Amino acid sequence: YAPAFAAFLGEVAALGADGIEVWNEMNIDRAWPAGQVNGANYVRLLAEAHNAIKTANPDTLVITGALNPTGFYGAAGCTDQGCNDDVYAQQMAEAGAADFADCIGVCYTEGAVSPAQTKGDPRGDYPTRYFPTMIERMAAPFEGQDIPLCFTGLGYLSAEGYEASWPEYLAWGKDTSVTEQAKWLRDAILVARDDGRVALLIVSYVDRPRGDEGYFGGSAIIRADNTCPACQAIGSLANLPLPEPIAAVSAGDEVTATISAAAPAVVFT
């Protein structure tokens, strides 16, 4: 299968793709065959894909598949069904993933607190809950290998506008307001800029499938009323100067924004 998949990605690159993420969540068995979940197995696929993509279009960015952020597999780190993301990333690094990619894919879509925080999540302090520790968790295995991170999924859930049908399994995102979603996305960009190890962030999601009032609807920055406060908040960064990196956002002194529901606009405070 790997040669056929690599050939397909080469065809996509030839169409002028700016970047291609090679697979997704391959550390769990819903995305990779059970019993074969291992970073070294993935790197073999990545190497074939990289060669096909770069042959077709040297300018196409090759991004490793973003892992499912999880500690589900306990102290062992891996079972036949999957691996914790930090363990899997270490396997990838040891197998030479950095030689076959321009960027390490990362997903962060389960935040319930500001991207400045590294504690205070009501679910506990596991590192995948927080944006700064998620950066560190995925960068650490590749330290010294001169490869940046690319967030191919960055999002915050908000139940606002969907309260009546909000699913219980997403209760952790129920109290996040649309205003918080907007400013946390904006502030995550500032945190990433100042960290210096992040090359790309893609917001998940812009819009939602018709009728979805759960995960996709709650993550979407175009909200139930068709407004987009996050568009305003993120767009406001285009007008900022680009100073030398500083600690722009900290838990005690956070950049904030006030967003009007009637006429969304960002006011810095």
Side-chain angles (χ1 to χ4, degrees):
Y1 179 77
F5 181 64
F8 165 72
L9 294 185
E11 293 174 5
V12 175
L15 295 174
D18 293 321
I20 295 175
E21 181 180 12
V22 181
W23 220 262
N24 182 52
E25 295 191 339
M26 55 279 184
N27 60 315
I28 58 176
D29 64 357
R30 75 178 179 210
W32 199 269
Q36 300 179 41
V37 178
N38 183 282
N41 289 339
Y42 168 72
V43 170
R44 285 192 280 272
L45 172 68
L46 178 67
E48 290 200 48
H50 177 268
N51 292 338
I53 291 167
K54 292 299 186 180
T55 297
N57 186 347
D59 295 327
T60 297
L61 197 68
V62 176
I63 306 171
T64 66
L67 304 178
N68 183 290
T70 183
F72 177 80
Y73 302 99
C78 287
T79 70
D80 285 346
Q81 283 68 50
C83 293
N84 295 341
D85 56 315
D86 57 337
V87 174
Y88 194 97
Q90 187 63 49
Q91 294 170 349
M92 287 172 54
E94 292 172 358
D99 295 331
F100 305 110
D102 300 301
C103 208
I104 301 300
V106 187
C107 178
Y108 178 76
T109 56
E110 59 177 78
V113 296
S114 159
Q117 294 180 222
T118 55
K119 59 182 180 180
D121 189 299
R123 297 166 293 176
D125 287 339
Y126 198 73
T128 62
R129 307 293 194 203
Y130 305 101
F131 188 62
T133 51
M134 195 68 220
I135 291 175
E136 186 61 37
R137 186 175 175 88
M138 288 296 100
F142 301 94
E143 185 176 1
Q145 298 190 36
D146 193 30
I147 188 167
L149 304 182
C150 286
F151 279 80
T152 56
L154 172 66
Y156 289 92
L157 277 175
S158 172
E160 191 170 327
Y162 302 112
E163 293 89 345
S165 57
W166 193 250
E168 183 59 33
Y169 78 95
L170 296 176
W172 55 269
K174 188 171 185 178
D175 294 332
T176 299
S177 69
V178 168
T179 297
E180 287 172 322
Q181 181 197 53
K183 74 181 202 179
W184 290 353
L185 285 168
R186 193 273 316 272
D187 291 352
I189 295 169
L190 295 175
V191 170
R193 180 198 66 182
D194 293 346
D195 180 271
R197 291 175 288 183
V198 179
L200 174 73
L201 300 108
I202 298 174
V203 173
S204 293
Y205 295 89
V206 173
D207 207 348
R208 65 192 185 281
R210 185 179 298 274
D212 189 292
E213 297 182 354
Y215 177 77
F216 294 103
S219 298
I221 58 175
I222 297 178
R223 301 303 304 177
D225 60 0
N226 289 319
T227 63
C228 186
C231 297
Q232 299 291 112
I234 295 169
S236 70
L237 297 178
N239 300 318
L240 292 180
L242 298 176
E244 289 298 311
I246 57 171
V249 183
S250 66
D253 185 23
E254 184 181 348
V255 178
T256 61
T258 301
I259 301 172
S260 164
V266 175
V267 178
F268 289 94
T269 59

